[in-house]
Amino acid sequence: MSVQAQTVAPQRFRASYGRYLEDFTVGDIYEHRPGRTITDTDNIQFSLMTMNFHPMHCDAAFAAKSEFGRPLVNSGLTLAIVLGMTVNDVSGKAIANLGWKEIKLTAPVFPGDTLYAESEVLEKRESKSRPTQGS
C-alpha cells in the first residue's frame, strides 16, 4: 500500500504527508526516497554546529592516518538524515516522536556516500494515555 494524493477537486490533487494509524499494517516495509548524498561540508558543519570537534570528522590529515584512511561522517548526522527521510512517509501526521528502542550503526559512513532508508512496521497499538491517537 502506498499513500495516495488526496483529491481536492476534479483533476486537482494534494500530496499526502505521513500516515494515520489505520494506514499501517504490521510487516509493511516503506522504502524512503530519494536518497541523500552526504558531502564534506554537511559533515563538517554538522560536527562543528553540534560541538563534536573530533578530528575524525573535521581533520582530513588526522583521519588519513586512521584505519579508515579518510574522515568519517558524524554518526549524529547519519541518524538525523535517516530520521528526516522517514518523516514525509511515516510520521508526518504524528503529534511527536516518542523515542526509539534501538539504533545500530552497522557500517562507517563517509563523505560522498548516499544514504537510503526504510522503515518496517513491527507493531501498532492505540495510545493508552491518548485514546484518540495511535502509536
Side-chain angles (χ1 to χ4, degrees):
M1 176 187 120
S2 64
V3 177
Q4 304 261 333
Q6 176 185 28
T7 303
V8 293
Q11 294 187 302
R12 186 174 186 88
F13 305 93
R14 183 167 299 138
S16 180
Y17 189 74
R19 298 172 191 268
Y20 292 107
L21 179 65
E22 299 77 22
D23 297 326
F24 292 97
T25 300
V26 173
D28 282 354
I29 297 174
Y30 307 115
E31 295 182 358
H32 308 296
R33 299 295 185 269
R36 173 66 157 78
T37 303
I38 301 177
T39 67
D40 284 313
T41 302
D42 295 329
N43 189 39
I44 291 171
Q45 287 181 341
F46 184 89
S47 296
L48 297 178
M49 179 177 58
T50 59
M51 298 183 68
N52 181 341
F53 306 127
H54 196 288
M56 280 301 297
H57 306 308
C58 308
D59 184 336
F62 177 91
K65 297 174 187 169
S66 74
E67 66 181 283
F68 301 105
R70 55 189 169 149
L72 289 172
V73 169
N74 181 318
S75 57
L77 175 58
T78 301
L79 177 60
I81 289 173
V82 168
L83 174 62
M85 291 171 74
T86 71
V87 170
N88 134 14
D89 194 21
V90 174
S91 62
K93 289 182 171 73
I95 301 300
N97 231 328
L98 301 178
W100 302 276
K101 287 186 179 180
E102 188 174 326
I103 296 170
K104 289 185 181 182
L105 305 172
T106 59
V109 177
F110 302 101
D113 286 352
T114 301
L115 300 178
Y116 295 94
E118 64 182 38
S119 297
E120 179 178 359
V121 181
L122 300 176
E123 65 179 299
K124 74 176 194 177
R125 66 172 174 82
E126 291 188 16
S127 173
K128 294 174 185 146
S129 61
R130 294 180 170 188
T132 60
Q133 298 166 354
S135 64

